[in-house]
Amino acid sequence: METYVLLGADGRLSDEPAARDVTPELCRGLYRDMVLARRLDSEAYSLQRQGELGLWLQCLGQEAAQVGSIRAIRDDDPVFPSYRDHAAALCRGIGPEALLAQWRGVRQSGWDPAEHRFGVYTLVLAAQLLHAVGYAMGVQRDGTDEVVLAYFGDGSSSEGEANEAFNWAATVNAPVVFFCQNNQWAISTPTSRQFGAPLHRRAAGFGLATELVDGNDVLAVHAATRRAAETVRRGGGPALVEATTYRMAGHSTSDDPTRYRTEAELDHWRARDPIDRLRTLLDREGWADEAFHADLDAEADALGAETRRVCRAMPDPDPSTMFDHVLPGGSPVLAAQRDGYAAYLASFEDAS
Amino acid sequence: METYVLLGADGRLSDEPAARDVTPELCRGLYRDMVLARRLDSEAYSLQRQGELGLWLQCLGQEAAQVGSIRAIRDDDPVFPSYRDHAAALCRGIGPEALLAQWRGVRQSGWDPAEHRFGVYTLVLAAQLLHAVGYAMGVQRDGTDEVVLAYFGDGSSSEGEANEAFNWAATVNAPVVFFCQNNQWAISTPTSRQFGAPLHRRAAGFGLATELVDGNDVLAVHAATRRAAETVRRGGGPALVEATTYRMAGHSTSDDPTRYRTEAELDHWRARDPIDRLRTLLDREGWADEAFHADLDAEADALGAETRRVCRAMPDPDPSTMFDHVLPGGSPVLAAQRDGYAAYLASFEDAS
Amino acid sequence: MTTTLSRALTTALHHALETDPKVLVMGQDVGGLGGVFRVTDGLQKDFGPDRVIDTPIAEAGIVGTAIGLAQRGYRPVCEIQFDGFVYPAFNQIVSQLAKMHARTGGAITLPVVIRIPVSGGIGAVEHHSESNEAYFAHTAGLRVVAAATPQDAHWLLRQAIESDDPVIFFEPKCRYWSKGEVADGPDLPMHAARTVRPGGDLTLLTWGSMVETCLAAAAAAEEEGHDLEVVDLRSLAPIDVEALVGAVGRTGRAVVVHEAPVTGGLGGEVAASLAERCFDRLEAPVRRVGGFDVPYPAARLESHYRPDLDRVLDAVDRTLAY
Amino acid sequence: MTTTLSRALTTALHHALETDPKVLVMGQDVGGLGGVFRVTDGLQKDFGPDRVIDTPIAEAGIVGTAIGLAQRGYRPVCEIQFDGFVYPAFNQIVSQLAKMHARTGGAITLPVVIRIPVSGGIGAVEHHSESNEAYFAHTAGLRVVAAATPQDAHWLLRQAIESDDPVIFFEPKCRYWSKGEVADGPDLPMHAARTVRPGGDLTLLTWGSMVETCLAAAAAAEEEGHDLEVVDLRSLAPIDVEALVGAVGRTGRAVVVHEAPVTGGLGGEVAASLAERCFDRLEAPVRRVGGFDVPYPAARLESHYRPDLDRVLDAVDRTLAY
Ligand SMILES: Cc1ncc(C[n+]2csc(CCOP(=O)(O)OP(=O)(O)O)c2C)c(N)n1
Ligand SMILES: Cc1ncc(C[n+]2csc(CCOP(=O)(O)OP(=O)(O)O)c2C)c(N)n1
Ligand SMILES: [Mg+2]
Ligand SMILES: [Mg+2]
């Protein structure tokens, strides 16, 4: 299968039929999404380095894969993300406070999935893929036409649960698009030690419709995901999109990628930066004027400032919240533990 | 992919090149293996009905798949079976006592895997496939040329662990042949509710070499498995053979297959009986004389008689054996429990 | 109505499917076959394959897709075919099902019930007789219940399905065919322990398959003049600790009985709580009777592995004699 | 030699790889990266990728293939990246690894070690701070050990690798960087508890990450004139019950401390055993200090969730005052 490309590494549009659907508005919108995501990502990275966040996993380099895919589905299509999908989350209106809370350690998740139709991050690899399939079975039973989009990484594809999800979706014809951001690495493990055949081929073997797309080409990602989603929406059965991209940063702020990959490899991918590539097109075609860029810079600066502000402003949670929401039906044992701990804490205050 | 057939349902040899390797000796050997297996299977079934066994899972109808495959590998090639692989086990010299012990409830497994190069039955579906891959990694490290054969069923292929095994084997190029007896049913669940695309296609997607073979054609199974095993042995990477067959009996002696499948379906498969089919060839070609059949009948009768005898002769195990072999390194806690229970039992004898 | 425990479950499922269109039943062979224990018998015929779902053989898949269905507003009741086959789903249960409500600050509720036929006593082959309640009872975020009678089987299951909590629902498979009365309504909430038999000399604390054994032991002890109380915990998480403390506070002597290996079993939790809370009332150590610390043995040995009347009475005698 | 706990593990692995060609190290990122905690740092360089194996991300696969390798005569030491990621392997551990020796009547031995960085205290995100020892300690057929010091990290690991038992090996990740002495030889066998600090007034029973906390509590209590004993269980299955009974038989008072949720935790087993075996010697109920029955909370709350010096002392004070 050939990798689907619309916008070459040189920033030129191919003569693919889908290129005709590319409009200046679309490009400006996708460009804005990517620029804002990169700003949030780099601010969060800095905040982690300053000790304001416990950990951060950058989406640097993967903006096209995320923005292109989420902008290709409807706003009411539910999304089941992995944990590095900040660009996609931003597109769904999830703000910096919600995005940073988990990594600051003040909450285990940041937003209400129902409000944004965007699930909470899943740190246990591949678990969300089965949830997506189940949710899609619900869509089938409700007789509505949402398409469920589920993100995962190349490394996660080796988990049994990922493969159960592919198989299950194919068996019940669930309306789900599995979207793999194949960023070449799973922490220090390259894809060559993760699978023996390309993932898109495996997916086809399970009976999924497949797309292999240049994940740093936001237009190709957009077109391929749209194609996949529309097939699914028409009842054509589940699909898998494999987007070839690259994790430009370390796995997380705790990682030291110099231990396992070369500067030459990074250079190769730097030349394929998804934002630069679209910028080249915008510039050549004259689709974005100076005012657009000035506005966008200002917007990014504002997002950066807001990110820093809301991050530092997040207070530590009250200890008693630990006992909330464990069992919706409540439990006397838990209530006793909560009250006991409150009394214990109060005893210090009494003492002092 | 077309199903590979050598001996048609009408008992005629095809003009495939591999048909030239078919010798009378081979046919007589395979025929004998199948006939003996069927006898053991039906004796065990009767013994269960008489209350001598707690449970029995018949291999009725699947003799060709098992005999054809295990006879296609070397005697020193290790095998990781599922739980219905009595015909294969018999070929490895595992006798009726060993085969029935587990189902009589006197032991949890019947034989020493090292002695027969045939693992114990695995009742937790698909778990053995990962063991097979690990064992094959050991073979790689030892630099020897065994090929590991691992049996599993159509239903088991939906388990995450099965798919981890396929992927892992492909990734590390493990010398393993996965052999699926696709007998159309997993208890009451037909393959249509188990996967959305044929298993052999999925296997190819993982990067396994694949064969799709008529599982009731013992000659085709033999040729296909041999082909697969030789590719693997030459370092060509792991393979999967899917054998299309049919579980002629219920899932187990506890099952009532009339609840979920039709007499017509059974009739269809009765006409494809693997033993009858080879018999037709033997008869037409004159490859087996009356003496051969008379000897075989006698041998089968003897096996049947031995099966009944050894089954009934198996004594209940001593309660203290329950405490043996829990931890090779031993444990004072366990020793205390064993001694305490022995003393407790003795207290009844003292009392009486 | 007098019925078997198995049938009491079937009618509970039937009622739930009938009254709430969001309720689904899913699992291996639950459709045409009606499950290997026939608990779901007839349900697919009445409610169709979209509500009574024959799944692929993938336990993580069963629980994982149930979680997704619950997020979509459904109330899945999953069947795991045998106790020993729940482990492939352990990750989904422990890290996803149990934690989702808490980790989303209450934004997601997962009203999923996982039915597990549990424990031994039916002469089964390996992996078919596990008593694994302790794993789940130690997992924060799960409610764990064990039915011992048709009445509880029916009403506990209905309560479990109606509850918004994720519930692990244990069905003692050796009791599926036992008959009993099912009343017109529940007599207790889901979390309450039940005094199955009052008594003043010693309290037997138990659940699931061992309730009947303990009742038999109490009947036998009565003939020797001992008045044993039997308490069925019913709810294994959270445990109705106050009820247990109340009971043992009165009798001053207790024996905990379960099928799982004693070491690390839930009996330890019960005994430790009682030893702490009833310290001054206890006249003898709380003894535990349970399986040995060995894998469940071959069927011909299971009568030695599982606590029976004699082993319970042995512990009772020692405790009374202390 | 003074070294960190992490380094003490590395040298143990290095020694095992060097002396026994059958020993393998396998797990996610154990090769070039040296593991996320750098415990396997440098091993792949020294022993090559066939002996220090970077695996696909498939925990069932890691344990399942290790079982196969062990059947072939190898001695795999598996690394699970974090405690919360062992659950996908639970089926292989509980139904295969733990039972294989018994179910084959001893024909198959599986000398597999599973290393698990465990417990909290490092400000991690969810699923990275679980204390899940109770699941394994309740599983017959497994040996479970917990290292608390560099000395134990090194020697327990070497003993675990040399042992033919399947061993779950817990490493307290908050102690990876703590330094301590590693002697030239083991001072105790794998199954023995250790009295880390003698004392006559009360026994603190603990393991893993909490040993240091208990020692600090004992030091603080000393200033108030209380002489606390601290016992490190080390072996969580089987538990060295006789040693615990001996200790508590002397002091008459005990507090069990662990990070896992108290309910159903291994502290219940310890407390129940002591309450039974030391019934007449106990002058106060055995108290348990542990995590609450809630999913491990967000990092900013973990200091409230994990037992600390004050919570231990609170339980000590109540027990002494009883
Ligand atoms: C079940 C499980 N095992 C291991 C981990 C530890 N882990 C976290 S991220 C990661 C690599 C994931 O790689 P990939 O799926 O390619 O996603 P990427 O980080 O590249 O976006 C690993 C092994 C985990 N989170 N969950
Ligand atoms: C993990 C697991 N889940 C469920 C079961 C219960 N079970 C036993 S056999 C079986 C059907 C297996 O079908 P298949 O793999 O096709 O093998 P067959 O019985 O047809 O030979 C099921 C669901 C099991 N043994 N293990
Ligand atoms: Mg990746
Ligand atoms: Mg089958």
Side-chain angles (χ1 to χ4, degrees):
Chain A
M1 194 170 197
E2 273 208 26
T3 306
Y4 181 69
V5 187
L6 272 185
L7 183 62
D10 55 1
R12 281 180 198 280
L13 266 180
S14 85
D15 45 13
E16 269 285 317
R20 271 172 265 143
D21 299 337
V22 173
T23 64
E25 290 73 36
L26 177 68
C27 291
R28 280 195 301 268
L30 297 173
Y31 185 77
R32 172 178 170 274
D33 289 338
M34 292 197 291
V35 166
L36 293 178
R38 184 162 293 184
R39 176 61 70 93
L40 176 118
D41 191 58
S42 74
E43 289 293 347
Y45 175 81
S46 305
L47 285 162
Q48 195 282 335
R49 285 297 183 240
Q50 294 158 32
E52 296 290 341
L53 298 179
L55 188 79
W56 183 251
L57 290 94
Q58 291 194 257
C59 64
L60 185 70
Q62 300 179 216
E63 296 90 350
Q66 295 180 22
V67 167
S69 53
I70 201 153
R71 287 302 186 195
I73 58 169
R74 286 195 329 223
D75 283 351
D76 67 336
D77 286 334
V79 176
F80 286 76
S82 186
Y83 48 76
R84 197 191 289 289
D85 302 319
H86 319 311
L90 270 182
C91 290
R92 278 295 170 89
I94 296 169
E97 198 273 344
L99 269 167
L100 269 54
Q102 178 170 23
W103 313 101
R104 189 170 167 88
V106 300
R107 301 201 291 277
Q108 295 291 38
S109 70
W111 53 90
D112 179 355
E115 184 189 339
H116 299 278
R117 302 194 67 67
F118 195 91
V120 295
Y121 281 166
T122 299
L123 303 190
V124 182
L125 298 172
Q128 76 278 11
L129 301 183
L130 284 167
H131 306 168
V133 175
Y135 196 98
M137 290 169 73
V139 170
Q140 288 180 305
R141 278 159 182 72
D142 292 346
T144 55
D145 73 344
E146 295 109 296
V147 168
V148 180
L149 180 68
Y151 288 114
F152 68 108
D154 44 289
S156 311
S157 73
S158 304
E159 290 283 4
E161 293 191 5
N163 294 285
E164 288 193 9
F166 303 152
N167 185 56
W168 193 296
T171 307
V172 306
N173 215 41
V176 56
V177 176
F178 299 107
F179 191 99
C180 177
Q181 296 174 55
N182 180 346
N183 64 7
Q184 313 306 318
W185 292 95
I187 309 186
S188 75
T189 309
T191 52
S192 62
R193 297 211 56 84
Q194 208 67 249
F195 31 75
L199 180 66
H200 62 89
R201 246 182 72 193
R202 185 200 315 175
F206 274 109
L208 305 177
T210 57
E211 297 271 356
L212 174 64
V213 63
D214 180 341
N216 283 13
D217 172 356
V218 69
L219 298 174
V221 173
H222 190 262
T225 310
R226 165 153 295 173
R227 216 154 42 211
E230 291 319 312
T231 315
V232 174
R233 208 181 305 280
R234 280 197 313 271
L240 182 142
V241 179
E242 176 177 349
T244 308
T245 180
Y246 194 75
R247 191 195 76 208
M248 293 301 299
H251 170 71
S252 74
T253 47
S254 302
D255 187 32
D256 174 8
T258 63
R259 290 176 80 100
Y260 52 83
R261 63 188 195 183
T262 63
E263 197 55 33
E265 182 175 311
L266 275 169
D267 282 342
H268 172 89
W269 286 96
R270 276 193 196 105
R272 279 154 188 77
D273 184 87
I275 298 186
D276 291 351
R277 201 189 293 193
L278 187 56
R279 176 72 190 243
T280 307
L281 178 72
L282 288 176
D283 287 355
R284 171 167 340 92
E285 303 290 337
W287 285 350
D289 56 15
E290 262 178 49
F292 170 82
H293 288 298
D295 284 357
L296 182 53
D297 283 350
E299 196 179 356
D301 287 346
L303 178 64
E306 190 201 348
T307 302
R308 292 190 297 274
R309 186 181 55 74
V310 297
C311 176
R312 298 208 172 89
M314 270 183 260
D316 281 0
D318 187 274
S320 77
T321 57
M322 186 161 66
F323 300 96
D324 296 342
H325 310 300
V326 176
L327 284 175
S331 141
V333 173
L334 218 51
Q337 289 184 7
R338 182 196 57 213
D339 297 346
Y341 190 61
Y344 165 80
L345 286 182
S347 73
F348 287 91
E349 280 165 29
D350 297 350
S352 67
Chain B
M1 195 169 196
E2 274 209 27
T3 305
Y4 180 69
V5 187
L6 273 184
L7 183 61
D10 55 359
R12 279 179 198 280
L13 267 181
S14 85
D15 45 15
E16 270 283 318
R20 271 172 267 144
D21 299 338
V22 173
T23 64
E25 290 71 38
L26 176 68
C27 292
R28 282 195 299 269
L30 297 173
Y31 184 78
R32 171 178 170 271
D33 289 337
M34 293 198 290
V35 166
L36 293 179
R38 184 163 293 184
R39 175 61 71 93
L40 176 119
D41 190 58
S42 74
E43 289 294 345
Y45 175 82
S46 305
L47 286 161
Q48 196 283 335
R49 285 298 183 240
Q50 294 158 32
E52 296 289 342
L53 298 179
L55 188 80
W56 183 252
L57 289 95
Q58 290 194 259
C59 65
L60 186 69
Q62 300 179 217
E63 296 89 349
Q66 294 179 23
V67 167
S69 52
I70 200 152
R71 287 303 187 193
I73 59 170
R74 286 197 326 225
D75 283 350
D76 67 336
D77 286 334
V79 176
F80 285 77
S82 185
Y83 47 77
R84 196 191 290 289
D85 303 320
H86 320 310
L90 269 182
C91 290
R92 278 295 171 89
I94 295 169
E97 198 272 348
L99 270 167
L100 268 54
Q102 178 170 23
W103 312 101
R104 188 170 168 87
V106 299
R107 302 202 291 277
Q108 295 291 37
S109 69
W111 54 89
D112 179 355
E115 184 188 337
H116 299 277
R117 301 196 66 69
F118 194 89
V120 296
Y121 281 166
T122 299
L123 303 190
V124 181
L125 300 171
Q128 77 279 11
L129 302 183
L130 283 167
H131 306 168
V133 176
Y135 196 97
M137 290 169 73
V139 171
Q140 288 180 305
R141 278 158 182 74
D142 292 347
T144 55
D145 73 344
E146 295 109 296
V147 168
V148 180
L149 179 69
Y151 287 114
F152 69 109
D154 45 288
S156 311
S157 73
S158 303
E159 291 283 4
E161 293 191 5
N163 294 283
E164 287 193 9
F166 303 151
N167 185 56
W168 192 298
T171 307
V172 306
N173 214 42
V176 56
V177 175
F178 299 107
F179 191 98
C180 177
Q181 296 174 55
N182 181 344
N183 64 8
Q184 313 305 318
W185 293 94
I187 309 186
S188 75
T189 309
T191 53
S192 62
R193 298 210 56 84
Q194 207 68 249
F195 33 74
L199 180 67
H200 62 88
R201 247 183 70 194
R202 185 200 315 174
F206 274 109
L208 306 177
T210 57
E211 297 272 356
L212 173 64
V213 62
D214 180 342
N216 284 12
D217 171 356
V218 69
L219 298 174
V221 172
H222 189 263
T225 309
R226 164 153 295 174
R227 215 153 44 211
E230 290 319 312
T231 314
V232 172
R233 207 181 305 281
R234 279 197 313 271
L240 183 143
V241 178
E242 176 177 349
T244 309
T245 181
Y246 194 75
R247 191 195 76 209
M248 293 302 298
H251 169 71
S252 73
T253 47
S254 301
D255 187 31
D256 174 8
T258 64
R259 291 176 80 100
Y260 53 83
R261 63 187 195 184
T262 63
E263 198 55 34
E265 183 175 311
L266 275 169
D267 282 342
H268 171 89
W269 286 96
R270 276 192 197 107
R272 279 156 187 76
D273 184 87
I275 299 186
D276 292 352
R277 202 189 290 193
L278 188 56
R279 175 73 190 243
T280 307
L281 179 73
L282 289 176
D283 287 355
R284 172 168 339 95
E285 303 289 338
W287 285 351
D289 56 15
E290 261 177 51
F292 170 82
H293 289 297
D295 285 355
L296 182 52
D297 284 349
E299 196 180 356
D301 287 346
L303 178 64
E306 189 201 348
T307 302
R308 292 190 297 276
R309 185 182 56 75
V310 296
C311 177
R312 297 208 172 90
M314 271 184 260
D316 281 0
D318 186 274
S320 77
T321 58
M322 186 160 67
F323 300 96
D324 297 340
H325 309 301
V326 176
L327 284 175
S331 141
V333 173
L334 218 52
Q337 290 184 7
R338 183 197 54 212
D339 297 346
Y341 190 62
Y344 165 81
L345 286 182
S347 73
F348 287 92
E349 281 166 28
D350 298 349
S352 64
Chain C
M1 182 187 59
T2 302
T3 187
T4 60
L5 191 149
S6 159
R7 194 75 207 144
L9 293 164
T10 313
T11 56
L13 291 171
H14 199 282
H15 177 270
L17 284 160
E18 197 158 51
T19 50
D20 185 346
K22 292 299 187 187
V23 170
L24 306 173
V25 166
M26 56 196 288
Q28 293 152 17
D29 307 298
V30 297
L33 187 65
V36 290
F37 290 107
R38 305 292 184 269
V39 169
T40 57
D41 193 22
L43 298 179
Q44 195 181 66
K45 202 165 94 312
D46 288 353
F47 300 98
D50 274 355
R51 296 197 58 210
V52 180
I53 308 167
D54 276 321
T55 68
I57 303 182
E59 287 77 12
I62 293 173
V63 177
T65 58
I67 290 171
L69 279 158
Q71 291 192 37
R72 178 72 184 187
Y74 285 87
R75 306 183 82 85
V77 184
C78 305
E79 173 172 305
I80 297 292
Q81 204 157 66
F82 280 89
D83 34 58
F85 308 139
V86 69
Y87 304 124
F90 205 68
N91 184 47
Q92 285 286 341
I93 295 175
V94 167
S95 292
Q96 303 297 326
L97 184 63
K99 295 187 172 56
M100 192 72 85
H101 190 65
R103 56 196 269 259
T104 59
I108 294 180
T109 40
L110 297 178
V112 174
V113 177
I114 302 181
R115 295 179 37 240
I116 310 181
V118 75
S119 300
I122 61 163
V125 284
E126 53 176 356
H127 311 295
H128 292 70
S129 302
E130 308 285 306
S131 291
N132 41 22
E133 66 273 11
Y135 298 140
F136 303 99
H138 181 49
T139 305
L142 298 177
R143 190 175 286 278
V144 183
V145 298
T149 63
Q151 163 75 1
D152 268 352
H154 185 86
W155 288 106
L156 269 179
L157 183 52
R158 282 175 63 168
Q159 289 167 330
I161 298 171
E162 275 158 28
S163 156
D164 280 342
D165 302 337
V167 182
I168 309 294
F169 190 93
F170 284 113
E171 307 170 0
K173 60 177 93 72
C174 67
R175 310 286 309 154
Y176 271 138
W177 305 278
S178 333
K179 290 194 170 174
E181 212 37 48
V182 175
D184 282 346
D187 42 7
L188 285 172
M190 206 173 13
H191 69 263
R194 170 188 279 126
T195 303
V196 195
R197 177 197 161 111
D201 294 344
L202 179 151
T203 306
L204 287 171
L205 300 141
T206 190
W207 56 87
S209 64
M210 286 290 122
V211 171
E212 199 58 35
T213 307
C214 287
L215 282 171
E222 189 170 18
E223 303 197 351
E224 299 184 11
H226 300 310
D227 184 24
L228 307 195
E229 176 180 48
V230 179
V231 175
D232 176 1
L233 264 66
R234 299 173 76 252
S235 176
L236 307 184
I239 293 174
D240 187 358
V241 193
E242 298 309 322
L244 311 195
V245 167
V248 177
R250 280 188 303 275
T251 58
R253 296 178 199 267
V255 172
V256 196
V257 183
H258 61 55
E259 270 200 59
V262 165
T263 299
L266 206 58
E269 176 59 37
V270 173
S273 297
L274 292 173
E276 183 179 346
R277 298 281 306 277
C278 303
F279 189 74
D280 297 313
R281 287 287 300 119
L282 278 179
E283 290 168 47
V286 180
R287 282 203 165 69
R288 295 178 277 165
V289 182
F292 300 105
D293 294 344
V294 311
Y296 198 90
R300 300 278 175 133
L301 288 178
E302 72 175 342
S303 64
H304 289 282
Y305 181 86
R306 303 176 72 221
D308 61 3
L309 187 143
D310 287 325
R311 275 174 63 204
V312 173
L313 286 180
D314 182 56
V316 165
D317 289 346
R318 286 167 199 262
T319 307
L320 288 174
Y322 194 87
Chain D
M1 182 187 59
T2 302
T3 188
T4 60
L5 191 149
S6 158
R7 195 72 208 146
L9 293 165
T10 313
T11 55
L13 291 170
H14 198 281
H15 177 272
L17 284 161
E18 198 159 49
T19 51
D20 185 347
K22 292 299 185 186
V23 170
L24 306 173
V25 166
M26 54 195 291
Q28 294 152 16
D29 306 299
V30 297
L33 187 65
V36 291
F37 290 107
R38 305 290 183 270
V39 170
T40 56
D41 194 21
L43 299 178
Q44 195 180 65
K45 202 164 92 322
D46 289 352
F47 299 99
D50 274 354
R51 296 196 58 207
V52 179
I53 308 168
D54 277 320
T55 68
I57 303 182
E59 287 78 10
I62 293 173
V63 177
T65 58
I67 290 171
L69 280 159
Q71 291 192 38
R72 178 72 184 188
Y74 286 86
R75 307 182 81 86
V77 184
C78 306
E79 173 173 304
I80 298 291
Q81 203 157 68
F82 280 90
D83 35 57
F85 307 140
V86 70
Y87 304 125
F90 205 68
N91 183 48
Q92 285 287 343
I93 296 175
V94 167
S95 292
Q96 303 298 325
L97 184 61
K99 295 187 172 58
M100 192 71 84
H101 190 65
R103 57 196 269 259
T104 60
I108 294 180
T109 39
L110 297 178
V112 174
V113 177
I114 302 183
R115 295 180 37 240
I116 310 181
V118 75
S119 300
I122 61 162
V125 283
E126 53 175 359
H127 312 296
H128 291 70
S129 303
E130 307 285 304
S131 292
N132 40 22
E133 66 274 11
Y135 297 141
F136 303 99
H138 181 49
T139 304
L142 297 177
R143 189 176 286 278
V144 183
V145 299
T149 62
Q151 162 75 2
D152 268 351
H154 184 85
W155 287 107
L156 269 180
L157 183 52
R158 282 174 63 168
Q159 289 167 329
I161 297 171
E162 275 159 28
S163 156
D164 280 341
D165 301 337
V167 182
I168 309 293
F169 190 93
F170 284 113
E171 306 169 0
K173 60 176 94 73
C174 66
R175 311 285 312 153
Y176 271 138
W177 305 279
S178 333
K179 291 195 168 171
E181 210 39 45
V182 175
D184 282 344
D187 42 5
L188 285 173
M190 208 173 14
H191 71 263
R194 170 188 281 127
T195 304
V196 196
R197 177 195 160 114
D201 293 345
L202 179 151
T203 307
L204 288 171
L205 300 142
T206 190
W207 56 86
S209 64
M210 286 290 123
V211 171
E212 199 58 35
T213 307
C214 287
L215 281 172
E222 188 170 17
E223 303 196 350
E224 298 185 10
H226 302 309
D227 183 25
L228 307 194
E229 176 180 47
V230 179
V231 174
D232 176 0
L233 264 66
R234 299 173 76 252
S235 177
L236 308 184
I239 293 175
D240 186 359
V241 193
E242 297 310 322
L244 311 195
V245 167
V248 177
R250 280 189 302 273
T251 58
R253 296 178 199 266
V255 172
V256 196
V257 183
H258 61 55
E259 271 201 58
V262 165
T263 300
L266 205 58
E269 176 59 37
V270 173
S273 296
L274 292 173
E276 184 180 344
R277 298 280 305 277
C278 304
F279 189 73
D280 297 313
R281 287 288 300 121
L282 278 179
E283 289 168 48
V286 180
R287 282 203 163 70
R288 295 178 277 163
V289 182
F292 301 105
D293 294 344
V294 310
Y296 198 90
R300 300 278 175 132
L301 288 178
E302 72 174 343
S303 64
H304 290 281
Y305 180 87
R306 303 176 74 221
D308 60 4
L309 186 145
D310 286 325
R311 275 174 63 204
V312 173
L313 287 181
D314 183 57
V316 165
D317 288 347
R318 285 167 199 262
T319 306
L320 289 174
Y322 194 86

